[in-house]
Amino acid sequence: MLRKGFITIGDYFIFLNKVFSKPAKWSIFLKKWVFEMDAMGIGSMLIVSIVSVAMGSVITLQTALQIESSWIPSWTVGFTARTSIVMELCPTIISLLLVGNIGSRITAEIGSMRVTEQIDALEIMGINPASHLVLPKVFASIIVNPILCVFSIAFALLGGYLTVWITDCVSTYNYIDGLTYCFRVYDVIYAMTKTTIFAFVMSTVASFYGYKIDGGALELGKASTQGIIVSSFIILILNVVITNIML
Amino acid sequence: MIEVCSVSKYFGEKQILHNINTQFEEGKVNLIIGRSGSGKTVLMKCLVGLHSPEEGKVLYSGREFHNMPDIDKQKLRTEMGMVFQGAALFDSMTIGENVAFPLDMFTQMSDGEKNDRVDFCLECVDLQNVNSLYPAELSGGMKKRAAIARALACNPKYLFFDEPNSGLDPKTSLLIDELITKITHDFNTTTIVNTHDMNSIITIGETISFIYQGFLEWTGNSHTILSSDNHNLNDFIFAQPLVQRIKK
């Protein structure tokens, strides 16, 4: 099993070497890149906003319920919610959500192309299929995921605001005061760095599992699940590593 | 001309092809025939470079394919066209875009020139008014013809067909056979067809290579195949009751 793991890691890096080669035609690459950004971004916007509002709402409510002491200032609720949302929840949870949404779509799309010999057709035409199919997806996810993360942060903070406004657990003034208290741009840079790295992992691992399918529909389903599990696992490990390095 | 010199292919410990030596002639329809699992698809994949043979070489007009630098290999591949068993059209593109795809990738044609070429290729395979349809909207026979049109787009020197008649009714099958012969003679391509369709074997096989359990058992043509004294070939050819009746 260990040997199989090392072989898979080796295959992954060989695959990356194929992916990161010069596109056969830049105009087609750009067209595919824009198409992928549109599909990934617009396609995920609704689910990201719903999850983010809910997440922001719950984290604000939980924080307000835990901090019921006159010793702790009211703005702490907004401050704690913002810090949790910006630094941890949005980059990690939304990346994991996108693994399930975008990652599984990438594996299924490339896997079905493999099963129906469309990848072989590209290869025989003299096109590098790994670069032609995967490179636009990698670049698109590297751009789109951080944008989705920014939207997610905004929606989560909005969710928190709405909760505060409806439940009146703290005043909206104190909540906003907490959101702006000791704001550091570095926190956003840290969140964006994490999201970008997670986007790279998500798109390349999902593509790898789709690309290496050998068989039919059954293997396609298995590969999709494997892609999600492995991407999520790597993201969680990297989350710890990056946090250690950057904070 | 394509020459296959002492090609052997293994999958793990299992040897699939045993020292295959044959050649496929220019301007002719060359068939590779054999039972399912005999190794004919593996041989075709070795020819087009989807598999690399462990031993032997494949020569395209004297140029050794598998040991070429990648750039030369890619250049040679632009001279190839292949029609897969399931057509392998790109699902996300219309038929017009599918046929135009190799032109987009490898030529500097203007949009007008590309459209003319797409129309010409679709006309060659007798498909009209399908440019804006998606592959899912076509029948099996139409998909195969669209795949042939795509293979023709860049004017290939070498055309490969993997079981072009599988899953088609006898009439459509006949149409595809006629198309293969017409294209080969009109465009002087080296055409290699992988088949076990008896009608194709008898009607379009200008050279025939019979593979049996990974060995090249017999070579000949459609005129000599019925009078061959090769036991395994006769077993394969006369397996169907209809052909047995014709023989009698």
Side-chain angles (χ1 to χ4, degrees), chain A residues 135-150:
Chain A
L135 200 58
K137 292 185 199 306
V138 175
F139 277 88
S141 66
I142 282 174
I143 300 289
V144 164
N145 284 25
I147 293 172
L148 285 173
C149 184
V150 170

Side-chain angles (χ1 to χ4, degrees), chain A residues 124-125, chain B residues 2 26-28 48 60-61 63 75-83 99 102-103 106-107 117 120-121 124 147-161 183-192:
Chain A
I124 287 167
M125 283 178 199
Chain B
I2 302 171
E26 195 178 310
K28 284 187 179 174
V48 297
Y60 280 80
S61 307
R63 297 170 287 176
K75 208 183 259 177
L76 181 60
R77 276 184 163 147
T78 60
E79 296 174 10
M80 294 180 192
M82 182 158 177
V83 178
V99 179
L103 303 172
F106 300 113
T107 68
R117 181 71 191 162
F120 170 76
C121 292
C124 283
I148 296 172
R150 184 178 68 185
L152 283 179
C154 280
N155 230 343
K157 277 170 77 174
Y158 311 99
L159 262 178
F160 299 88
F161 292 83
I183 288 165
T184 305
H185 295 151
D186 287 359
F187 300 104
N188 197 35
T189 57
T190 306
T191 302
I192 294 138

Side-chain angles (χ1 to χ4, degrees), chain B residues 20 209-213 215-219 230-233:
Chain B
I20 304 280
S209 306
F210 172 61
I211 308 279
Y212 180 76
Q213 292 183 350
F215 291 91
L216 181 70
E217 278 271 318
W218 181 88
T219 50
N230 184 296
H231 174 70
N232 291 325
L233 178 64

